[in-house]
Amino acid sequence: MHEPGPLGGPLAGTGRSGLGVTYKYFGAPDGATAARVPISMRPEELGGDELGMGGMFTRIKPETIAAMVLTGIQGMPLHKVPPLELVVLHPDYAVVKLPMTAVDPLRDIGEESVGAAAFIWSTVPDRGGPQDAFNVYRLLHEWQDFSHRLHEAGHQPYCLVWP
């Protein structure tokens, strides 16, 4: 059996990710489907529709995304953010499932709530991810669109991680 290698770092905690790590967020109906995401292709070769769902690439860790939504929108304390569910751990990649609570709250909020959440997250001390409120605001808008696409497809949020 191979050691998890560099994936042990990016998937643990909420600090900054290592250089060169890419996170591909996508939707899938279940973990078995998510586990079959093409793994032979590099992130730049994936078009985002491998599971019939527009995906998104970012350098922001799934734990950070979940924390941004849950602390900034739901008002949950950072230490109460639930852990991610590991679907696949392979020496070359990992697939994790995000809690639905990390995307669902975004569907029903307006501009003011997105702006307030961005400001709140930009002031949270000792956490990774974007620190500028405007960058957080743009990211939350992308996640809001992603949340709508997930809901329309009946999918759950997953993240494919490449070191």
Side-chain angles (χ1 to χ4, degrees):
M1 172 118 188
H2 290 89
E3 291 294 315
L7 291 178
L11 292 176
T14 57
R16 295 187 185 281
S17 65
L19 294 177
V21 176
T22 300
Y23 302 98
K24 162 66 173 173
Y25 294 91
F26 63 94
D30 54 48
T33 304
R36 291 191 304 268
V37 167
I39 53 91
S40 62
M41 302 171 81
R42 298 307 300 165
E44 59 273 7
E45 295 170 338
L46 287 173
D49 294 318
E50 64 277 7
L51 294 173
M53 182 72 220
M56 13 188 279
F57 289 112
T58 181
R59 297 270 185 210
I60 300 170
K61 295 168 54 165
E63 301 92 319
T64 302
I65 296 287
M68 289 170 85
V69 172
L70 295 171
T71 60
I73 295 171
Q74 298 294 91
M76 181 181 289
L78 196 54
H79 69 279
K80 297 264 188 187
V81 173
L84 304 175
E85 178 185 327
L86 184 63
V87 177
V88 174
L89 180 59
H90 182 276
D92 298 326
Y93 65 94
V95 175
V96 295
K97 178 181 177 189
L98 283 76
M100 288 303 290
T101 53
V103 291
D104 281 350
L106 290 166
R107 285 202 325 271
D108 301 321
I109 64 170
E111 271 314 295
E112 288 181 11
S113 296
V114 173
F119 176 76
I120 289 167
W121 183 254
S122 72
T123 65
V124 173
D126 300 325
R127 47 84 186 124
Q131 297 176 2
D132 177 78
F134 182 70
N135 290 337
V136 176
Y137 176 81
R138 286 193 331 215
L139 180 68
L140 287 174
H141 264 295
E142 288 178 33
W143 270 85
Q144 195 170 35
D145 292 342
F146 185 54
S147 176
H148 285 288
R149 294 193 311 266
L150 284 173
H151 182 72
E152 289 167 9
H155 286 177
Q156 299 168 23
Y158 291 89
C159 182
L160 178 57
V161 182
W162 284 276

